[in-house]
Amino acid sequence: MTEFLVIRLGQHRDQQVAWIAADSAGIRLGDPATGPLADARAVIGDREVIVLVPSAEVLTTSVDIPVRGGAKLQAALPYALEEHLAEDVERLHFASGPKRSNGRIPVSVVSHERMREWIDMLAEAGIEAKSIIADSYGLARIPGTSSMLIADNQVFINDGDDTELVMEDVTPIQALAAIGVLNVDGSATGGDATTMPRHLLVYCSKNDEERYQHDFIAIREVLEGVDVKLLADGPLPRLAVTVATGTGVDLLQGVYGARKEYAGMFRPWKYAAILLLVFGVLGITAKATELFLQLREEAELRQQFNTEYRAIVPGAPETNDPARTVESLRRRAGTSDSTPVFLQAMEQLGRAMQQNRDARIEAISYRNGVLEIRLSAPNVPTLANIQDVVGQNGRFRANIRSTDQEDGKVTGRIQIQEAGS
C-alpha cells in the first residue's frame, strides 16, 4: 500500500497550506494540518507527495479526438481546444488523463506562469511532487449522482459523468442549474429524466448546511434524494482520499514531466557491466575461434576424402557432401543400412484400409521415418480398427494423434512408424 502526503496550496503564494496523509486505498492517515509550506516537508518521510492546486487557476475539460496518448496527443490538445481558450495557446500548458468510459479524454489547462510559480514554491521548500492535480478532481464522480462540495465561497460540482465546474459565490440551486440538473428557479428541467442525475450528494460544513437548508429542502422536492455529509475537518480529507487512489489529471507532463537520470541509475553497476562486457567479448571470441578451427578441420577432411575418392574412382568430380557420396556407393554395392520404411508402411496401411472400406484417406505425408495420414471415417471405432491392423505384424506401430467431428463424420490424424523407433 502506497502512502501519500497530500498538500493543498492556497490561491496566493504567501497563504498557508494544508496537508494530510492518505494511502492508495483511499483511507486517510491522521488529521489534517495547516502551516507554511516548509513545515509540510518535515512530515513527508517516505511518503510520495501529491500537490493540489486551486481549480480556479486550472481549466478542466474533456475532448474527443482520435489520438492515443503520448507526444501525438500532447501536440494535438492545443489545436483541439484553441477555439475555447481566450489566452494564446503558446502561454498554456496542456495535460491529459486516461480515457473515460464514454470515450472522452480529460484535460487540464494552466498557464506556464502558474506552473512555474508552483514548482518554484515547492523547490524552495525542498519538496518534490510526484503529481500536481487541480483540487476539483478530489470530488469523486458517481454515475447517476450529482456530487457537490461547498468550501468557503466555492462550490465544486459534477454530474457523475463528464461535466464538472468550480464556481464562486453561488448557491447549490445555481450550481445544479449550471450543469443542467435544475432550472435557475429550482424547478425540474425538461430534459430526459432517464439520463439526468436524480440524486445529489453534498459535502459541506455544519454552517453551510444551515445556511443553505432552504435550497436543500427545495431540491428534495425535485430530485429523488439529497444526502448531506458534514465535513468536520474541512474539505481536504475528502479531496485527499480521492486523488490518493489515482484520480485526476497530473499536470507534471510534457516539459514538466519527470526526467530520469539514467546515468545515476547505472552508476552503481558500472564495474559489473564492464566485467559482463569483458566476459561476453571473451566468450564470443572463444566461440568464433572454435568455429574457425572446426571449419578448417572440416575442409581438411573433405579434401582428404576427395583425394581418396578420386584414387578409387578416377575422374570423379569433387564432392562437398562426403556422407551422401558414401551412402550412394553403399547402395550401389547393396550394403546400405536404410530400409524401405515408406513402402512397407504403405503396404501395411493398405491392408488396414481394405478391412475398413468405409474410411477414406484425405492426405499422406512422410518425413524422418514417420508416415502421417489424415483420413475420414464414419466413427472413431473405425479409426481404432485401422490403428490395430497396422500394428498387427509388430513391424509398425500406429498412433491416433487427433480426432474431430465434422459433417457427421470423424476426421482423424494417424502417425505410423517403426515399432522400435
Side-chain angles (χ1 to χ4, degrees), residues 1 99 114 144 170 181 197 204 231 249 327 351 353 371 408:
M1 197 74 66
K99 184 179 290 187
R114 290 298 279 162
V170 298
V181 175
C204 66
L231 301 173
V249 175
E327 180 66 18
R351 293 192 184 98
M353 297 303 293
L371 183 67

Side-chain angles (χ1 to χ4, degrees), residues 1-7 19-32 43-44 46-50 52 236-246:
M1 197 74 66
T2 305
E3 291 189 5
F4 301 95
L5 186 71
V6 182
I7 303 174
W19 61 86
I20 190 173
D23 64 24
S24 54
I27 300 174
R28 59 182 283 183
L29 307 174
D31 296 324
V43 296
I44 293 175
D46 295 331
R47 301 182 180 107
E48 295 181 341
V49 176
I50 298 175
L52 297 179
L236 180 58
R238 169 49 42 192
L239 303 176
V241 297
T242 301
V243 297
T245 62

Side-chain angles (χ1 to χ4, degrees), residues 12-248:
H12 308 291
R13 188 183 184 95
D14 56 352
Q15 278 185 301
Q16 289 192 331
V17 302
W19 61 86
I20 190 173
D23 64 24
S24 54
I27 300 174
R28 59 182 283 183
L29 307 174
D31 296 324
T34 59
L37 184 58
D39 289 355
R41 182 178 181 275
V43 296
I44 293 175
D46 295 331
R47 301 182 180 107
E48 295 181 341
V49 176
I50 298 175
V51 176
L52 297 179
V53 294
S55 294
E57 305 287 343
V58 183
L59 169 66
T60 58
T61 183
S62 64
V63 295
D64 184 9
I65 52 179
V67 179
R68 293 186 178 182
K72 289 185 177 179
L73 177 60
Q74 193 77 21
L77 289 177
Y79 299 100
L81 295 169
E82 187 173 13
E83 295 181 358
H84 306 284
L85 302 171
E87 196 169 350
D88 185 355
V89 294
E90 296 296 327
R91 297 185 176 184
L92 299 174
H93 169 58
F94 297 80
S96 61
K99 184 179 290 187
R100 290 172 177 166
S101 59
N102 60 6
R104 298 184 68 84
I105 299 172
V107 180
S108 290
V109 186
V110 64
S111 70
H112 285 292
E113 181 182 0
R114 290 298 279 162
M115 276 297 295
R116 286 191 290 267
E117 181 180 341
W118 292 327
I119 291 174
D120 289 345
M121 287 174 57
L122 295 169
E124 290 171 6
I127 296 174
E128 182 179 357
K130 175 185 179 291
S131 56
I132 297 178
I133 301 172
D135 56 10
S136 60
Y137 285 112
L139 182 61
R141 288 181 175 80
I142 303 173
T145 297
S146 297
S147 296
M148 179 185 299
L149 186 147
I150 304 172
D152 301 323
N153 65 331
Q154 287 187 321
V155 176
F156 297 67
I157 189 168
N158 67 59
D159 65 353
D161 185 23
D162 202 51
T163 302
E164 60 182 3
L165 295 172
V166 178
M167 295 167 283
E168 294 185 356
D169 300 322
V170 298
T171 66
I173 289 178
Q174 291 170 334
L176 287 169
I179 63 172
V181 175
L182 298 179
N183 292 317
V184 291
D185 60 357
S187 62
T189 65
D192 186 354
T194 62
T195 60
M196 296 300 293
R198 303 302 303 163
H199 296 83
L200 174 64
L201 174 61
V202 181
Y203 298 97
C204 66
S205 66
K206 180 65 176 177
N207 290 338
D208 286 328
E209 181 192 31
E210 295 175 354
R211 179 163 53 139
Y212 295 119
Q213 60 178 323
H214 295 295
D215 281 58
F216 296 144
I217 293 172
I219 294 169
R220 285 189 175 94
E221 295 294 325
V222 179
L223 300 184
E224 294 177 2
V226 177
D227 188 8
V228 179
K229 295 184 178 297
L230 300 182
L231 301 173
D233 295 322
L236 180 58
R238 169 49 42 192
L239 303 176
V241 297
T242 301
V243 297
T245 62
T247 301

Side-chain angles (χ1 to χ4, degrees), residues 199-358:
H199 296 83
L200 174 64
L201 174 61
V202 181
Y203 298 97
C204 66
S205 66
K206 180 65 176 177
N207 290 338
D208 286 328
E209 181 192 31
E210 295 175 354
R211 179 163 53 139
Y212 295 119
Q213 60 178 323
H214 295 295
D215 281 58
F216 296 144
I217 293 172
I219 294 169
R220 285 189 175 94
E221 295 294 325
V222 179
L223 300 184
E224 294 177 2
V226 177
D227 188 8
V228 179
K229 295 184 178 297
L230 300 182
L231 301 173
D233 295 322
L236 180 58
R238 169 49 42 192
L239 303 176
V241 297
T242 301
V243 297
T245 62
T247 301
V249 175
D250 183 10
L251 290 168
L252 292 179
Q253 299 180 26
V255 296
Y256 303 105
R259 291 176 174 80
K260 291 187 177 180
E261 296 292 338
Y262 291 102
M265 292 171 58
F266 289 109
R267 191 173 294 114
W269 302 95
K270 179 176 68 174
Y271 296 109
I274 291 174
L275 287 174
L276 181 62
L277 178 62
V278 169
F279 286 133
V281 171
L282 290 176
I284 293 172
T285 302
K287 287 293 184 183
T289 302
E290 182 182 355
L291 178 61
F292 171 75
L293 294 174
Q294 289 177 349
L295 291 175
R296 187 173 69 177
E297 183 179 1
E298 180 184 0
E300 290 174 353
L301 291 172
R302 188 185 300 111
Q303 183 62 38
Q304 183 179 349
F305 173 82
N306 280 311
T307 301
E308 298 291 338
Y309 180 47
R310 285 173 178 171
I312 299 171
V313 185
E318 184 173 322
T319 178
N320 289 323
D321 192 350
R324 180 176 294 179
T325 302
V326 171
E327 180 66 18
S328 177
L329 290 172
R330 295 177 70 180
R331 287 186 178 181
R332 291 179 196 172
T335 59
S336 175
D337 291 335
S338 62
T339 56
V341 175
F342 174 77
L343 295 177
Q344 294 180 11
M346 287 296 295
E347 181 180 0
Q348 194 66 16
L349 176 63
R351 293 192 184 98
M353 297 303 293
Q354 287 179 355
Q355 297 180 31
N356 298 273
R357 296 183 179 275
D358 292 336

